[in-house]
Amino acid sequence: MSTIPSAVSSPPASAPGPDALGHFGAYGGRYVPEVLMAPLEELEAAYHEARNDPTFEQELNNLHRHYSGRPTPLYYAKRLSDQLGGAEIWLKREDLLHTGAHKINNCLGQVLLARRMGKQRIIAETGAGQHGVATATVCALFGMQCVVYMGSEDMRRQRLNVFRMRLLGAEVVGVENGSATLKDAISEAMRDWVTNVESTHYLLGSALGAHPYPMMVRDFHKIIGEEVRYQSLDQMGRFPDALIACVGGGSNAIGLFYPFFQEPCVRLIGAEAGGRSLSLGEHAARFSGGSPGVLHGAFSYLLQDAEGQVGLTHSISAGLDYALVGPEHAWLHDEGRAEYVSVSDADALIAARRLARTEGIIPALESAHAIAEAIRRAPSEPGRIYVVNLSGRGDKDTDIYRENMPELNEPDANRAGRGDASA
Amino acid sequence: MVSTAGRIASLFTRKKQEGRGAFIAYLTAGDPSPDCLMDLVLALERGGADLIELGVPFSDPIADGPVIQRASERALRAGMTLPKLLEIVRRIREKSEVPLLLFSYLNPLLRYGFDRLANDAREAGIDGVLLTDLSVEEADEPVRRLRETGLDTVFLAAPTSTDRRLGLVAEHSSGFIYLVSRTGVTGEQASVSAGVLPLVERTRRHTELPLAVGFGISTPEQVAQIADGVVVGSAIVKTIEAYASSPALAAEVECFTAWLTAPLSSTAGTRHLDRWRG
C-alpha cells in the first residue's frame, strides 16, 4: 500500500454527523437512566479531547499498522466475478485483521480512551464472540480487567470464541435472560455499567446505544471506508458503484459507508439478516419488519410487537441477531441515502460456500450475508464495481457450517463426479 | 370522572403537615397476573402505602435487578398490557383515591403514543408518569403532552447527576423527584447508600418539590431515615413472588407493607409488627 491519501481521495470535511445530543435526524439520542447520563457526558468530553490530541491519533495509527495489520487489502474476487458474469466484486479484507474481524478497530480506539479516562475495568457484550475476542485481546494488550457478557445461546453457537476469550484472560459471563442472545447480553452489560460506572468503561461493540457510542464506534471504523477511497482510486482508477456490507448493529457497514456519504454516485447497500422467514421472531430485518422505537439507549428501527415489547429475533449468524439497527442507518434509510435488503439464512450459507470454492476465502456468517447480496445483484449489472466488506473470517462459524452442510461430512465428499464440487 | 388534579401534591402537603414521610410502594402491574392487580393495590393502601407506583412490564428492563426482571417476565407471560392496566386503574378508582404513578420504560409508552396516553391515563385515574430511561434532554415533548392533561411528570436524580443535570431534572419534574440512592440496578441493600444524603442536599438547592428516595430500601429502619418520602420496590415484589400462587397473597402483601410503614405511621402498621419481627 504505497499510495498516500490525497486531497481528492479525502472525504469532504462537512460530512453529516450527529447533533450535540447525538441525533441523526430523528434517530439516536440518549435514552438511558439518569445515573448513566453524567458518565455518558464525561465519555463524550473525553472522546472529543482525545480526538483533538495528536498523540492519541498517533498511538492508534501505530497500533493499526503494527498490531492489527492495517491497511487491509482491497482484493478483486476475479473468479467469483467471472462466474457471475456481471459486476466486478471486490472484497475489503477486514477478515485479515488480527482477531479475524473489523471489531478490533473500535476496541483499540476505545481501550486507549478508557486508559486516558483512568478506567481499569472493561466490560463488553458479544454476540458472535468477535467483539468479545477483540475486547479480550486489547485488554490483555493493555493489562486491564475484562468481563464479557454473552448470551448462553450464543455461547453454545460460538464455543470456540468463548474459549479464545478465556485464553486471553477475560471472564465470560453467560446470560440466560430472554432469548439468551446479543440483546440480553447488552442489557446485562448495561446493568453492570450502571452499578460500577466509576471504575468501569463499557466497551460497546457496535454503532448502537446512547450517544456518543454510535458516533464514536463509527469514527473508529471509518478507517475502513477511508482506505477504500484511496485503494479504489489506486486499483480501479475510480470509486466503486456500490458498497455492500452486512448490518447487525451496523458498525462495519457504517465504517465503510461514512467516508462515501458525500459521493452520490456510490450506492450504499446494507444486508440485514432475513433469517428463516419474515415473520416476527424468525429474522432480524429491522427495515422490513420493524418500526421506530427505543432499545438500549437509542431511538431507531426496532423489531417490536403491538405493545412495544421488543421482539425476539433469529439469524443463523449471531452477530446480526439483534432487534435494533444502529441509529445512523435509520437516518440513512429514511433519507434514501442507503438501501437495506434482507438475506436469508439459506442464501448466506450458499454464498459462504461459493466464496470458499471460488476464492479460497471462508467468510464469517455475518459477512456471508453481504456476499450473498453481491452475488444476487452482480449478474444484472455488468460494468459495475462493487466493494463488499468482508468484515470477518469464518473460522468461528465452522461448527455451524458443518451442521448445515452435512454432505461435506461424508467420506466421499467432493469426490469428482459427485456433482456439487464447484458450487 | 373524579378529578385527579394534584393528588400527589396534596399527599405531600398533608404528610408535611403531619410531620411524616410518605411511603411509596412499587409493584410490577400484572405480576403474578392482571387479575391480582386491584387486590394488590388495595392491600398496599391498607398496609399504609401513600402512593403506589404501577410498573409497566417491559421485555428489556435494563435498570432492574433480578427480582423486578422476574416480575416483568411473569406479568408479560400473564398477558399484561398497557390498555389492560388502564382498564384496571379505572376499576381501582371506584374504590380508592390513593395516588397512582405509572412507572415505565419508554418504549411501551412510545408505542402507545403520548397524546393518547396523556388522555387515557388521566381519564383512567393515573396521577403521574415516571419514565426510567427518558433523559430530560429528550423529555420536552412528552412532558408537555402529559402535563397538558394534568398528569405529573416525575424524573429520577442520581448520585452521578451533576448540579447542571439536577437543575434540568427539577425543571422537568412535578409532584415529586425520585432520588436514586446509589448507582446500580433496583434491589435490596443492607443499608442505604451514604451517597444519598449529599444528593438530597444538592437537589434541595434546585427545587421546592418533595424528594423521595428509592433503590435498595427494604426495612423499616431504612424507611425511617428518609425525609419527604421513601420508595420500596424489590422487597414488595419479592413478597408478591413468594406468595404468587397463595390465596393469602393480598393479605401477606398488606402485612409486609404495614411492617415497613410502621415507623412512618402511628396506627396502620403497629398491629402487624410483632408477627413480622417474630
Side-chain angles (χ1 to χ4, degrees), chain B residues 53-108:
Chain B
E53 296 177 347
L54 302 173
V56 179
F58 183 50
S59 52
D60 296 83
I62 54 162
D64 286 302
V67 171
I68 295 179
Q69 286 177 46
R70 289 197 300 270
S72 290
E73 281 171 26
R74 284 192 297 272
L76 289 174
R77 263 202 313 273
M80 194 59 182
T81 62
L82 191 49
K84 237 181 239 182
L85 191 161
L86 295 178
E87 178 50 41
I88 296 166
V89 168
R90 247 174 242 122
R91 285 170 25 220
I92 292 172
R93 277 288 171 249
E94 292 166 11
K95 302 192 173 185
S96 168
E97 285 297 308
V98 69
L100 295 172
L101 185 74
L102 202 61
F103 193 103
S104 185
Y105 289 89
L106 179 58
N107 202 56

CSV table of all heavy atoms in Angstrom, one decimal, chain B residues 53-108:
chain,number,residue,atom,x,y,z
B,53,GLU,N,-46.6,3.1,42.9
B,53,GLU,CA,-46.1,3.1,41.5
B,53,GLU,C,-46.5,1.8,40.8
B,53,GLU,O,-46.2,0.7,41.3
B,53,GLU,CB,-44.5,3.1,41.6
B,53,GLU,CG,-44.0,4.4,42.2
B,53,GLU,CD,-42.5,4.4,42.3
B,53,GLU,OE1,-41.9,3.4,42.2
B,53,GLU,OE2,-42.0,5.5,42.6
B,54,LEU,N,-47.1,1.9,39.7
B,54,LEU,CA,-47.5,0.8,38.9
B,54,LEU,C,-46.5,0.6,37.8
B,54,LEU,O,-46.4,1.4,36.8
B,54,LEU,CB,-48.9,1.0,38.3
B,54,LEU,CG,-50.0,1.3,39.3
B,54,LEU,CD1,-51.3,1.7,38.5
B,54,LEU,CD2,-50.3,0.1,40.2
B,55,GLY,N,-45.7,-0.4,37.9
B,55,GLY,CA,-44.6,-0.7,36.9
B,55,GLY,C,-45.2,-1.3,35.7
B,55,GLY,O,-46.0,-2.3,35.8
B,56,VAL,N,-45.0,-0.7,34.5
B,56,VAL,CA,-45.4,-1.3,33.3
B,56,VAL,C,-44.4,-2.4,32.9
B,56,VAL,O,-43.2,-2.0,32.7
B,56,VAL,CB,-45.5,-0.3,32.2
B,56,VAL,CG1,-46.0,-0.9,30.8
B,56,VAL,CG2,-46.5,0.8,32.6
B,57,PRO,N,-44.8,-3.6,32.7
B,57,PRO,CA,-43.7,-4.6,32.4
B,57,PRO,C,-43.1,-4.4,31.1
B,57,PRO,O,-43.8,-4.0,30.1
B,57,PRO,CB,-44.5,-6.0,32.5
B,57,PRO,CG,-46.0,-5.6,32.3
B,57,PRO,CD,-46.1,-4.2,32.9
B,58,PHE,N,-41.8,-4.6,31.0
B,58,PHE,CA,-41.1,-4.4,29.7
B,58,PHE,C,-40.1,-5.6,29.5
B,58,PHE,O,-39.6,-6.2,30.4
B,58,PHE,CB,-40.3,-3.1,29.8
B,58,PHE,CG,-39.6,-2.8,28.5
B,58,PHE,CD1,-40.3,-2.8,27.3
B,58,PHE,CD2,-38.3,-2.4,28.5
B,58,PHE,CE1,-39.6,-2.5,26.1
B,58,PHE,CE2,-37.6,-2.1,27.3
B,58,PHE,CZ,-38.3,-2.1,26.1
B,59,SER,N,-40.0,-5.9,28.2
B,59,SER,CA,-39.2,-7.1,27.9
B,59,SER,C,-37.7,-6.9,28.2
B,59,SER,O,-37.0,-7.9,28.4
B,59,SER,CB,-39.3,-7.4,26.4
B,59,SER,OG,-39.0,-6.2,25.6
B,60,ASP,N,-37.2,-5.7,28.3
B,60,ASP,CA,-35.8,-5.5,28.5
B,60,ASP,C,-35.5,-4.4,29.6
B,60,ASP,O,-35.0,-3.3,29.3
B,60,ASP,CB,-35.1,-5.0,27.1
B,60,ASP,CG,-35.2,-6.2,26.1
B,60,ASP,OD1,-36.3,-6.3,25.5
B,60,ASP,OD2,-34.3,-6.9,26.0
B,61,PRO,N,-35.8,-4.8,30.8
B,61,PRO,CA,-35.7,-3.8,31.9
B,61,PRO,C,-34.3,-3.6,32.4
B,61,PRO,O,-33.8,-4.1,33.4
B,61,PRO,CB,-36.6,-4.4,33.0
B,61,PRO,CG,-36.5,-5.9,32.8
B,61,PRO,CD,-36.2,-6.1,31.3
B,62,ILE,N,-33.5,-2.7,31.7
B,62,ILE,CA,-32.1,-2.6,31.9
B,62,ILE,C,-31.7,-2.0,33.2
B,62,ILE,O,-30.6,-2.1,33.7
B,62,ILE,CB,-31.4,-1.7,30.8
B,62,ILE,CG1,-32.1,-0.4,30.7
B,62,ILE,CG2,-31.4,-2.5,29.5
B,62,ILE,CD1,-31.3,0.7,30.0
B,63,ALA,N,-32.7,-1.3,33.9
B,63,ALA,CA,-32.3,-0.7,35.2
B,63,ALA,C,-32.8,-1.5,36.4
B,63,ALA,O,-32.6,-1.1,37.5
B,63,ALA,CB,-33.0,0.7,35.3
B,64,ASP,N,-33.3,-2.7,36.1
B,64,ASP,CA,-33.8,-3.5,37.2
B,64,ASP,C,-32.9,-4.7,37.5
B,64,ASP,O,-32.4,-5.4,36.6
B,64,ASP,CB,-35.2,-4.0,36.8
B,64,ASP,CG,-36.2,-2.8,37.0
B,64,ASP,OD1,-36.3,-2.3,38.1
B,64,ASP,OD2,-36.8,-2.5,36.0
B,65,GLY,N,-32.9,-5.1,38.8
B,65,GLY,CA,-32.2,-6.3,39.2
B,65,GLY,C,-33.1,-7.5,39.0
B,65,GLY,O,-34.2,-7.4,38.4
B,66,PRO,N,-32.6,-8.7,39.4
B,66,PRO,CA,-33.3,-9.9,39.1
B,66,PRO,C,-34.7,-10.0,39.6
B,66,PRO,O,-35.6,-10.6,38.9
B,66,PRO,CB,-32.4,-11.0,39.8
B,66,PRO,CG,-31.1,-10.3,40.2
B,66,PRO,CD,-31.3,-8.8,40.1
B,67,VAL,N,-35.0,-9.4,40.8
B,67,VAL,CA,-36.3,-9.5,41.3
B,67,VAL,C,-37.4,-8.9,40.4
B,67,VAL,O,-38.4,-9.5,40.1
B,67,VAL,CB,-36.4,-8.9,42.7
B,67,VAL,CG1,-37.8,-8.9,43.3
B,67,VAL,CG2,-35.5,-9.7,43.7
B,68,ILE,N,-37.1,-7.7,40.0
B,68,ILE,CA,-38.1,-7.0,39.2
B,68,ILE,C,-38.1,-7.5,37.7
B,68,ILE,O,-39.1,-7.6,37.0
B,68,ILE,CB,-38.0,-5.5,39.3
B,68,ILE,CG1,-38.3,-5.1,40.7
B,68,ILE,CG2,-38.9,-4.7,38.3
B,68,ILE,CD1,-38.2,-3.6,41.0
B,69,GLN,N,-36.9,-8.0,37.3
B,69,GLN,CA,-36.8,-8.7,36.0
B,69,GLN,C,-37.8,-9.8,35.9
B,69,GLN,O,-38.5,-10.0,35.0
B,69,GLN,CB,-35.4,-9.2,35.7
B,69,GLN,CG,-34.4,-8.1,35.3
B,69,GLN,CD,-33.0,-8.7,35.1
B,69,GLN,OE1,-32.9,-9.7,34.5
B,69,GLN,NE2,-32.0,-8.1,35.7
B,70,ARG,N,-37.7,-10.6,37.0
B,70,ARG,CA,-38.6,-11.8,37.0
B,70,ARG,C,-40.1,-11.4,37.1
B,70,ARG,O,-40.9,-12.0,36.4
B,70,ARG,CB,-38.3,-12.7,38.2
B,70,ARG,CG,-37.0,-13.5,38.1
B,70,ARG,CD,-36.9,-14.6,39.1
B,70,ARG,NE,-37.0,-14.2,40.5
B,70,ARG,CZ,-35.9,-13.9,41.3
B,70,ARG,NH1,-34.7,-13.9,40.8
B,70,ARG,NH2,-36.1,-13.5,42.5
B,71,ALA,N,-40.4,-10.3,37.8
B,71,ALA,CA,-41.8,-9.9,37.9
B,71,ALA,C,-42.3,-9.4,36.5
B,71,ALA,O,-43.4,-9.7,36.2
B,71,ALA,CB,-41.8,-8.7,38.9
B,72,SER,N,-41.4,-8.7,35.8
B,72,SER,CA,-41.8,-8.3,34.4
B,72,SER,C,-42.1,-9.5,33.5
B,72,SER,O,-43.1,-9.5,32.8
B,72,SER,CB,-40.7,-7.5,33.8
B,72,SER,OG,-40.5,-6.3,34.4
B,73,GLU,N,-41.2,-10.5,33.6
B,73,GLU,CA,-41.4,-11.7,32.8
B,73,GLU,C,-42.8,-12.4,33.2
B,73,GLU,O,-43.5,-12.8,32.3
B,73,GLU,CB,-40.3,-12.7,33.0
B,73,GLU,CG,-39.1,-12.4,32.2
B,73,GLU,CD,-37.9,-13.2,32.6
B,73,GLU,OE1,-38.1,-14.4,33.1
B,73,GLU,OE2,-36.7,-12.8,32.5
B,74,ARG,N,-43.1,-12.5,34.5
B,74,ARG,CA,-44.3,-13.1,34.9
B,74,ARG,C,-45.5,-12.3,34.4
B,74,ARG,O,-46.5,-12.9,33.9
B,74,ARG,CB,-44.4,-13.2,36.5
B,74,ARG,CG,-43.6,-14.3,37.1
B,74,ARG,CD,-43.9,-14.5,38.6
B,74,ARG,NE,-43.7,-13.3,39.4
B,74,ARG,CZ,-42.5,-13.0,40.0
B,74,ARG,NH1,-41.5,-13.8,39.9
B,74,ARG,NH2,-42.4,-11.9,40.7
B,75,ALA,N,-45.4,-11.0,34.5
B,75,ALA,CA,-46.5,-10.1,34.1
B,75,ALA,C,-46.8,-10.2,32.6
B,75,ALA,O,-47.9,-10.3,32.1
B,75,ALA,CB,-46.3,-8.7,34.5
B,76,LEU,N,-45.7,-10.3,31.8
B,76,LEU,CA,-45.8,-10.4,30.4
B,76,LEU,C,-46.4,-11.7,30.0
B,76,LEU,O,-47.3,-11.8,29.1
B,76,LEU,CB,-44.5,-10.1,29.7
B,76,LEU,CG,-44.0,-8.6,29.7
B,76,LEU,CD1,-42.6,-8.5,29.1
B,76,LEU,CD2,-44.9,-7.7,29.0
B,77,ARG,N,-45.9,-12.7,30.6
B,77,ARG,CA,-46.4,-14.1,30.4
B,77,ARG,C,-47.9,-14.2,30.7
B,77,ARG,O,-48.6,-14.9,30.0
B,77,ARG,CB,-45.6,-15.1,31.2
B,77,ARG,CG,-44.5,-15.8,30.4
B,77,ARG,CD,-44.2,-17.2,31.0
B,77,ARG,NE,-44.0,-17.1,32.4
B,77,ARG,CZ,-42.9,-16.8,33.1
B,77,ARG,NH1,-41.8,-16.5,32.4
B,77,ARG,NH2,-42.8,-16.8,34.4
B,78,ALA,N,-48.3,-13.5,31.7
B,78,ALA,CA,-49.7,-13.5,32.1
B,78,ALA,C,-50.6,-12.6,31.2
B,78,ALA,O,-51.8,-12.4,31.5
B,78,ALA,CB,-49.8,-13.1,33.6
B,79,GLY,N,-49.9,-11.9,30.3
B,79,GLY,CA,-50.7,-11.2,29.3
B,79,GLY,C,-51.0,-9.7,29.6
B,79,GLY,O,-51.9,-9.1,29.2
B,80,MET,N,-50.2,-9.2,30.5
B,80,MET,CA,-50.4,-7.8,30.9
B,80,MET,C,-50.0,-6.8,29.8
B,80,MET,O,-49.0,-7.0,29.1
B,80,MET,CB,-49.5,-7.4,32.1
B,80,MET,CG,-49.9,-6.1,32.8
B,80,MET,SD,-51.7,-6.2,33.3
B,80,MET,CE,-51.9,-4.6,34.0
B,81,THR,N,-50.9,-5.8,29.6
B,81,THR,CA,-50.6,-4.8,28.6
B,81,THR,C,-51.0,-3.4,29.2
B,81,THR,O,-51.7,-3.4,30.2
B,81,THR,CB,-51.5,-5.0,27.3
B,81,THR,OG1,-52.9,-4.9,27.7
B,81,THR,CG2,-51.2,-6.4,26.7
B,82,LEU,N,-50.6,-2.4,28.5
B,82,LEU,CA,-50.9,-1.0,29.0
B,82,LEU,C,-52.4,-0.8,29.0
B,82,LEU,O,-53.0,-0.3,29.9
B,82,LEU,CB,-50.1,0.0,28.2
B,82,LEU,CG,-50.1,1.4,28.7
B,82,LEU,CD1,-49.8,1.5,30.1
B,82,LEU,CD2,-49.1,2.3,27.8
B,83,PRO,N,-53.1,-1.1,27.9
B,83,PRO,CA,-54.6,-0.9,27.9
B,83,PRO,C,-55.3,-1.7,29.0
B,83,PRO,O,-56.2,-1.1,29.7
B,83,PRO,CB,-55.0,-1.5,26.5
B,83,PRO,CG,-53.8,-1.4,25.7
B,83,PRO,CD,-52.7,-1.6,26.5
B,84,LYS,N,-54.8,-2.9,29.3
B,84,LYS,CA,-55.4,-3.7,30.4
B,84,LYS,C,-55.1,-3.0,31.7
B,84,LYS,O,-56.0,-2.9,32.6
B,84,LYS,CB,-54.7,-5.0,30.4
B,84,LYS,CG,-55.7,-6.2,30.3
B,84,LYS,CD,-55.0,-7.5,30.4
B,84,LYS,CE,-55.3,-8.3,29.1
B,84,LYS,NZ,-54.7,-9.6,29.1
B,85,LEU,N,-53.9,-2.4,31.9
B,85,LEU,CA,-53.5,-1.8,33.1
B,85,LEU,C,-54.5,-0.6,33.3
B,85,LEU,O,-55.0,-0.4,34.4
B,85,LEU,CB,-52.1,-1.3,33.0
B,85,LEU,CG,-51.4,-0.8,34.3
B,85,LEU,CD1,-49.9,-0.8,34.1
B,85,LEU,CD2,-51.8,0.6,34.6
B,86,LEU,N,-54.7,0.2,32.3
B,86,LEU,CA,-55.5,1.4,32.4
B,86,LEU,C,-57.0,1.0,32.8
B,86,LEU,O,-57.6,1.7,33.6
B,86,LEU,CB,-55.5,2.3,31.2
B,86,LEU,CG,-54.1,2.9,30.9
B,86,LEU,CD1,-54.1,3.6,29.5
B,86,LEU,CD2,-53.6,3.8,32.0
B,87,GLU,N,-57.4,-0.1,32.2
B,87,GLU,CA,-58.8,-0.6,32.5
B,87,GLU,C,-58.9,-0.9,34.0
B,87,GLU,O,-59.9,-0.6,34.6
B,87,GLU,CB,-59.1,-1.8,31.6
B,87,GLU,CG,-60.4,-2.4,31.8
B,87,GLU,CD,-61.6,-1.4,31.8
B,87,GLU,OE1,-61.5,-0.5,30.9
B,87,GLU,OE2,-62.5,-1.5,32.7
B,88,ILE,N,-57.9,-1.6,34.5
B,88,ILE,CA,-57.9,-2.0,35.9
B,88,ILE,C,-57.8,-0.7,36.8
B,88,ILE,O,-58.5,-0.6,37.9
B,88,ILE,CB,-56.7,-2.9,36.2
B,88,ILE,CG1,-56.9,-4.2,35.4
B,88,ILE,CG2,-56.6,-3.3,37.7
B,88,ILE,CD1,-55.7,-5.2,35.4
B,89,VAL,N,-57.0,0.3,36.4
B,89,VAL,CA,-57.0,1.5,37.2
B,89,VAL,C,-58.3,2.2,37.3
B,89,VAL,O,-58.7,2.7,38.3
B,89,VAL,CB,-55.9,2.5,36.5
B,89,VAL,CG1,-56.1,3.9,37.1
B,89,VAL,CG2,-54.5,2.0,36.7
B,90,ARG,N,-59.1,2.1,36.2
B,90,ARG,CA,-60.5,2.7,36.2
B,90,ARG,C,-61.3,2.0,37.3
B,90,ARG,O,-62.0,2.7,38.0
B,90,ARG,CB,-61.1,2.4,34.8
B,90,ARG,CG,-61.4,3.7,34.0
B,90,ARG,CD,-61.9,3.3,32.6
B,90,ARG,NE,-61.0,3.9,31.6
B,90,ARG,CZ,-60.3,3.2,30.7
B,90,ARG,NH1,-60.5,1.9,30.6
B,90,ARG,NH2,-59.5,3.7,29.9
B,91,ARG,N,-61.1,0.7,37.4
B,91,ARG,CA,-61.9,0.0,38.4
B,91,ARG,C,-61.4,0.3,39.8
B,91,ARG,O,-62.1,0.4,40.8
B,91,ARG,CB,-61.9,-1.5,38.1
B,91,ARG,CG,-62.8,-1.8,36.9
B,91,ARG,CD,-62.7,-3.2,36.4
B,91,ARG,NE,-62.2,-4.2,37.3
B,91,ARG,CZ,-61.4,-5.2,37.0
B,91,ARG,NH1,-60.9,-5.3,35.7
B,91,ARG,NH2,-60.9,-6.1,37.9
B,92,ILE,N,-60.0,0.4,39.9
B,92,ILE,CA,-59.5,0.8,41.3
B,92,ILE,C,-60.0,2.1,41.7
B,92,ILE,O,-60.4,2.3,42.9
B,92,ILE,CB,-57.9,0.8,41.2
B,92,ILE,CG1,-57.4,-0.6,41.0
B,92,ILE,CG2,-57.3,1.5,42.5
B,92,ILE,CD1,-55.9,-0.6,40.7
B,93,ARG,N,-60.2,3.0,40.8
B,93,ARG,CA,-60.7,4.4,41.1
B,93,ARG,C,-62.1,4.4,41.7
B,93,ARG,O,-62.5,5.3,42.3
B,93,ARG,CB,-60.5,5.3,39.9
B,93,ARG,CG,-59.1,5.9,39.8
B,93,ARG,CD,-58.8,7.0,40.9
B,93,ARG,NE,-57.5,7.4,40.8
B,93,ARG,CZ,-56.6,7.1,41.8
B,93,ARG,NH1,-56.9,6.4,42.9
B,93,ARG,NH2,-55.3,7.5,41.7
B,94,GLU,N,-62.8,3.3,41.4
B,94,GLU,CA,-64.2,3.2,42.0
B,94,GLU,C,-64.1,2.9,43.5
B,94,GLU,O,-65.0,3.1,44.3
B,94,GLU,CB,-65.0,2.1,41.3
B,94,GLU,CG,-65.3,2.4,39.9
B,94,GLU,CD,-65.8,1.2,39.1
B,94,GLU,OE1,-66.1,0.1,39.8
B,94,GLU,OE2,-65.9,1.3,37.9
B,95,LYS,N,-62.9,2.5,43.9
B,95,LYS,CA,-62.7,2.1,45.4
B,95,LYS,C,-61.7,2.9,46.1
B,95,LYS,O,-61.6,2.8,47.3
B,95,LYS,CB,-62.4,0.6,45.4
B,95,LYS,CG,-63.3,-0.3,44.8
B,95,LYS,CD,-63.1,-1.8,45.1
B,95,LYS,CE,-64.2,-2.6,44.5
B,95,LYS,NZ,-64.1,-4.0,44.9
B,96,SER,N,-60.8,3.6,45.4
B,96,SER,CA,-59.7,4.1,46.1
B,96,SER,C,-59.2,5.5,45.5
B,96,SER,O,-59.3,5.6,44.3
B,96,SER,CB,-58.5,3.2,46.1
B,96,SER,OG,-57.3,3.8,46.5
B,97,GLU,N,-58.8,6.4,46.3
B,97,GLU,CA,-58.2,7.6,45.9
B,97,GLU,C,-56.7,7.7,46.1
B,97,GLU,O,-56.1,8.8,46.0
B,97,GLU,CB,-58.9,8.8,46.7
B,97,GLU,CG,-60.3,9.1,46.2
B,97,GLU,CD,-60.4,9.5,44.8
B,97,GLU,OE1,-59.7,10.5,44.4
B,97,GLU,OE2,-61.2,8.9,44.0
B,98,VAL,N,-56.1,6.5,46.3
B,98,VAL,CA,-54.6,6.5,46.5
B,98,VAL,C,-53.9,7.0,45.3
B,98,VAL,O,-54.3,6.7,44.1
B,98,VAL,CB,-54.1,5.1,46.9
B,98,VAL,CG1,-54.2,4.1,45.8
B,98,VAL,CG2,-52.7,5.2,47.4
B,99,PRO,N,-53.0,8.0,45.4
B,99,PRO,CA,-52.3,8.5,44.2
B,99,PRO,C,-51.5,7.3,43.5
B,99,PRO,O,-50.9,6.5,44.1
B,99,PRO,CB,-51.2,9.5,44.8
B,99,PRO,CG,-51.8,9.9,46.1
B,99,PRO,CD,-52.5,8.7,46.6
B,100,LEU,N,-51.7,7.3,42.2
B,100,LEU,CA,-51.1,6.3,41.3
B,100,LEU,C,-50.1,6.9,40.3
B,100,LEU,O,-50.5,7.8,39.6
B,100,LEU,CB,-52.2,5.5,40.6
B,100,LEU,CG,-53.1,4.7,41.5
B,100,LEU,CD1,-54.3,4.1,40.7
B,100,LEU,CD2,-52.4,3.6,42.2
B,101,LEU,N,-48.9,6.3,40.3
B,101,LEU,CA,-47.9,6.8,39.4
B,101,LEU,C,-47.6,5.7,38.4
B,101,LEU,O,-47.2,4.5,38.8
B,101,LEU,CB,-46.6,7.2,40.1
B,101,LEU,CG,-45.5,7.8,39.4
B,101,LEU,CD1,-45.8,9.2,39.0
B,101,LEU,CD2,-44.2,7.7,40.2
B,102,LEU,N,-47.7,6.0,37.1
B,102,LEU,CA,-47.3,5.0,36.1
B,102,LEU,C,-45.8,5.0,36.0
B,102,LEU,O,-45.2,6.1,35.7
B,102,LEU,CB,-47.9,5.4,34.8
B,102,LEU,CG,-48.1,4.3,33.7
B,102,LEU,CD1,-49.0,3.2,34.2
B,102,LEU,CD2,-48.8,4.9,32.5
B,103,PHE,N,-45.1,3.8,36.1
B,103,PHE,CA,-43.7,3.7,36.2
B,103,PHE,C,-43.3,2.8,35.0
B,103,PHE,O,-43.6,1.6,35.0
B,103,PHE,CB,-43.3,3.1,37.5
B,103,PHE,CG,-41.9,3.2,37.9
B,103,PHE,CD1,-41.5,4.2,38.8
B,103,PHE,CD2,-40.9,2.4,37.4
B,103,PHE,CE1,-40.1,4.3,39.2
B,103,PHE,CE2,-39.6,2.5,37.7
B,103,PHE,CZ,-39.2,3.4,38.6
B,104,SER,N,-42.6,3.4,34.0
B,104,SER,CA,-42.4,2.6,32.8
B,104,SER,C,-41.1,2.9,32.1
B,104,SER,O,-40.5,3.9,32.3
B,104,SER,CB,-43.5,2.9,31.8
B,104,SER,OG,-43.4,2.1,30.7
B,105,TYR,N,-40.6,1.9,31.4
B,105,TYR,CA,-39.6,2.2,30.4
B,105,TYR,C,-40.3,2.9,29.2
B,105,TYR,O,-41.5,2.8,29.0
B,105,TYR,CB,-38.9,0.9,29.9
B,105,TYR,CG,-38.0,0.3,31.0
B,105,TYR,CD1,-38.5,-0.6,31.9
B,105,TYR,CD2,-36.7,0.7,31.0
B,105,TYR,CE1,-37.7,-1.1,32.9
B,105,TYR,CE2,-35.9,0.2,32.0
B,105,TYR,CZ,-36.4,-0.7,33.0
B,105,TYR,OH,-35.6,-1.2,34.0
B,106,LEU,N,-39.5,3.6,28.4
B,106,LEU,CA,-40.1,4.5,27.4
B,106,LEU,C,-40.8,3.7,26.3
B,106,LEU,O,-41.9,4.2,25.9
B,106,LEU,CB,-39.0,5.4,26.8
B,106,LEU,CG,-39.4,6.3,25.7
B,106,LEU,CD1,-40.5,7.3,26.2
B,106,LEU,CD2,-38.2,7.1,25.2
B,107,ASN,N,-40.3,2.6,25.8
B,107,ASN,CA,-40.8,2.1,24.6
B,107,ASN,C,-42.3,1.7,24.6
B,107,ASN,O,-43.0,2.0,23.6
B,107,ASN,CB,-39.9,1.0,24.0
B,107,ASN,CG,-40.1,0.8,22.6
B,107,ASN,OD1,-39.9,1.7,21.8
B,107,ASN,ND2,-40.5,-0.4,22.1
B,108,PRO,N,-42.8,1.0,25.6
B,108,PRO,CA,-44.2,0.7,25.6
B,108,PRO,C,-45.1,1.9,25.5
B,108,PRO,O,-46.2,1.9,24.9
B,108,PRO,CB,-44.4,0.0,26.9
B,108,PRO,CG,-43.1,-0.6,27.3
B,108,PRO,CD,-42.1,0.4,26.8
